[in-house]
Amino acid sequence: RYYEGFSEDRLIELAEDMFDDVIKKAIYPKAQDLIDEARRAGCRIVLVTGALDFTMRPLARYLNADDLIANKMQFVGGRATGKVIPPIIEGANKANVIREYCEKHDLSLLHSHAYSDSASDYAMLTAVGRPTAVNPDLRLRALARGYNWPVLDLR
């Protein structure tokens, strides 16, 4: 709702500034190494996030991701309504969109990787054959131990 009334152009400009001022500085160098290694192995890099797409496009571009799956803001007449267009990318829906993406692009879920730092992504992590907890919160760390998932600390 915070974005209600903003023009799409202004939101894109703000997202670029946010990337330069905040997000880019927060990217762990080891994360870029993981992405580069995955790309060399022939993996398709797809960012799946509950954030809004216009805020994550600069990151996807910077990481040279193949695709971005994110929430989409509704715009009417070039202005944000403050509403998100369903489906909402969060929780179990992340797992659903990953399944649909893999089916659409003829990719194997069993051979797909997923990375998360939050137990809220449990459904997404269980949907793929290669889940990994990265800088996990306490609950995800416990789940990862219970399921014998790799745990990475990129800090």
Side-chain angles (χ1 to χ4, degrees):
R1 291 188 195 131
Y2 173 80
Y3 298 118
E4 184 177 359
F6 280 83
S7 72
E8 189 169 5
D9 291 345
R10 179 69 179 134
L11 289 176
I12 290 169
E13 182 181 315
L14 289 171
E16 293 290 343
D17 291 345
M18 181 176 68
F19 176 75
D20 290 336
D21 296 342
V22 180
I23 296 173
K24 188 175 181 181
K25 296 172 186 174
I27 298 170
Y28 295 105
K30 291 179 184 176
Q32 184 65 60
D33 294 343
L34 278 174
I35 292 168
D36 293 344
E37 183 180 325
R39 186 168 305 289
R40 283 191 298 275
C43 294
R44 180 184 295 237
I45 309 301
V46 182
L47 300 183
V48 181
T49 177
L52 290 164
D53 60 350
F54 63 86
T55 66
M56 292 292 101
R57 275 191 209 112
L59 176 63
R61 189 174 55 248
Y62 180 81
L63 297 175
N64 198 28
D66 297 297
D67 270 314
L68 170 66
I69 298 171
N71 284 307
K72 293 175 179 29
M73 176 68 63
Q74 180 185 58
F75 290 92
V76 174
R79 299 261 173 209
T81 65
K83 297 177 183 173
V84 176
I85 300 170
I88 306 300
I89 310 300
E90 68 178 0
N93 268 344
K94 280 188 181 179
N96 293 336
V97 297
I98 288 172
R99 285 185 197 97
E100 291 167 7
Y101 185 92
C102 285
E103 186 175 313
K104 178 180 177 182
H105 295 280
D106 198 29
L107 300 170
S108 166
L109 274 169
L110 183 63
H111 293 101
S112 294
H113 300 257
Y115 300 86
S116 180
D117 64 350
S118 173
S120 66
D121 287 331
Y122 171 76
M124 176 187 77
L125 292 167
T126 61
V128 300
R130 298 174 181 182
T132 301
V134 180
N135 301 336
D137 60 24
L138 291 174
R139 194 161 154 243
L140 180 57
R141 186 175 295 280
L143 286 166
R145 266 191 245 123
Y147 287 101
N148 201 28
W149 294 340
V151 175
L152 298 178
D153 187 353
L154 301 182
R155 293 174 267 224

